[in-house]
Amino acid sequence: MPGVPPTRFVYLGPEGTFSEQALRTVPAADRGVLTPARSVPEALDALRAGEADAALVPLENSIGGQVGVTLDELAGGEPLIITREVVLPVQFVLASAEDRPLDSVRSVAAHPQAGAQCRKWLRDHAPQATVVDVLSNATAAIGAGTGEFDAAICAAIGASRYKLHVLAKDIADNPDAMTRFALVSRPGPPPPPTGDDLTTLAVYIAHDRVGALLAVLTELSVRGINMTRIESRPTGERLGRYVFFLDCGGHVAEAQMGEALQGLRRICADVRFLGSYPRASHGDTPPRRAPGLSDEDFTDAASWLSELRNGS
């Protein structure tokens, strides 16, 4: 939360999952109270009710794609804004209650997505093991700790939390897999611009207008705003009704983004501002702005237009 750092955090639980690991990379979380929630809606409801100052929830995975429930919750209900993004490499470990050879592992507990992302590694290194689906990475670690399963696929924080022996590290089939999380707060002034920011919007287009989505994209492109992500979700009204989620390079405090938001407000059925916040650094270089698209250029153009209108 801008100005006053949050002290009470809620996150998608249970304890010992990637969500907790991601939250612990947020500096203020080291001195805060961290409470797990059973679901994304429960986490965001706690935030809306004032039971927490901020919530950390998953937005998307580089393999599994968007987390639909998070997008749906941000698009509906009382408004919330994203104040920070956290991008976490998905690094699974195979862990057990005791140190044991891989060829002795007969049962492996795993969340379905974790099992799918480690399928080839298991086939190559523990082909005799049967994978058993469980509700979360933490549930898998707990099951391995009690001896219900020979081993678990889990996050490193889960193996540490439940005092498991790590039999193998970095077992994901795709070593570059990442999950993107959002730190969300109740509405307030966004963090100040850093020069490398993202603005997230939920845009409802006018469905009775030909080329409505193209008009949205044009409002961004003519101002040199780089759109880094677009996702659609059904609104629930009826078939063919969608809300579009946009991630755009830039900050609401910047002139070009401000003009684009005004343009979207004019042409769209509705626009929900979901926050401007610093872009997480994960190897990408932000695109360079073309000439004529700096804040100074927009200010100069506005001043020139004002002089024309005043007859100067």
Side-chain angles (χ1 to χ4, degrees):
M1 295 170 61
V4 180
T7 59
R8 300 173 300 157
F9 296 86
V10 63
Y11 64 94
L12 177 61
E15 296 179 352
T17 60
F18 285 112
S19 293
E20 182 187 359
Q21 189 171 326
L23 179 55
R24 291 190 177 276
T25 68
V26 177
D30 288 340
R31 303 178 298 278
V33 177
L34 279 56
T35 304
R38 290 172 296 182
S39 65
V40 169
E42 182 178 288
L44 297 182
D45 284 346
L47 175 60
R48 289 181 171 117
E51 297 167 7
D53 303 318
L56 187 106
V57 290
L59 274 181
E60 62 175 320
N61 179 270
S62 60
I63 294 177
Q66 65 178 342
V67 180
V69 64
T70 300
L71 299 181
D72 292 342
E73 283 292 314
L74 291 177
E78 295 179 24
L80 296 169
I81 62 166
I82 301 170
T83 60
R84 184 189 185 105
E85 71 166 351
V86 177
V87 177
L88 188 74
V90 179
Q91 297 172 326
F92 291 107
V93 302
L94 185 70
S96 176
E98 58 184 25
D99 195 6
R100 60 193 300 165
L102 291 177
D103 59 13
S104 72
V105 175
R106 293 292 183 270
S107 61
V108 176
H111 183 277
Q113 289 186 2
Q117 292 186 46
C118 302
R119 185 180 295 116
K120 183 178 184 300
W121 188 94
L122 286 173
R123 186 172 64 243
D124 293 342
H125 296 87
Q128 68 288 339
T130 299
V131 178
V132 181
D133 289 346
V134 295
L135 293 176
S136 69
N137 296 317
T139 303
I142 292 170
T146 62
E148 182 180 358
F149 307 102
D150 292 342
I153 295 174
C154 60
I157 190 174
S160 175
R161 176 69 51 81
Y162 299 108
K163 298 179 172 55
L164 302 180
H165 292 270
V166 174
L167 306 182
K169 298 180 179 179
D170 299 329
I171 67 172
D173 297 335
N174 186 336
D176 299 320
M178 290 184 283
T179 297
R180 179 179 176 228
F181 297 85
L183 188 68
V184 182
S185 73
R186 291 182 293 278
T194 65
D196 187 13
D197 303 288
L198 289 174
T199 292
T200 297
L201 309 168
V203 174
Y204 297 80
I205 66 172
H207 292 278
D208 58 350
R209 183 181 303 166
V210 176
L213 181 56
L214 177 59
V216 168
L217 303 182
T218 300
E219 291 291 336
L220 302 175
S221 64
V222 297
R223 294 174 176 88
I225 293 175
N226 182 48
M227 187 177 64
T228 62
R229 182 178 70 101
I230 180 170
E231 303 274 3
S232 65
R233 294 285 298 166
T235 63
E237 299 169 358
R238 58 175 174 160
L239 288 175
R241 293 291 189 260
Y242 295 92
V243 53
F244 294 87
F245 293 87
L246 313 180
D247 283 344
C248 308
H251 194 281
V252 66
E254 297 170 342
Q256 63 178 157
M257 183 62 71
E259 283 198 8
L261 291 178
Q262 291 181 75
L264 293 177
R265 174 73 174 178
R266 290 194 304 269
I267 68 170
C268 293
D270 193 16
V271 179
R272 176 169 281 200
F273 173 73
L274 297 179
S276 289
Y277 49 91
R279 186 198 307 261
S281 176
H282 48 92
D284 293 339
T285 301
R288 298 180 63 182
R289 288 183 178 173
L293 296 176
S294 69
D295 258 18
E296 291 77 11
D297 294 323
F298 275 80
T299 300
D300 177 70
S303 176
W304 174 76
L305 179 58
S306 177
E307 291 177 0
L308 293 180
R309 287 172 170 170
N310 292 330
S312 301

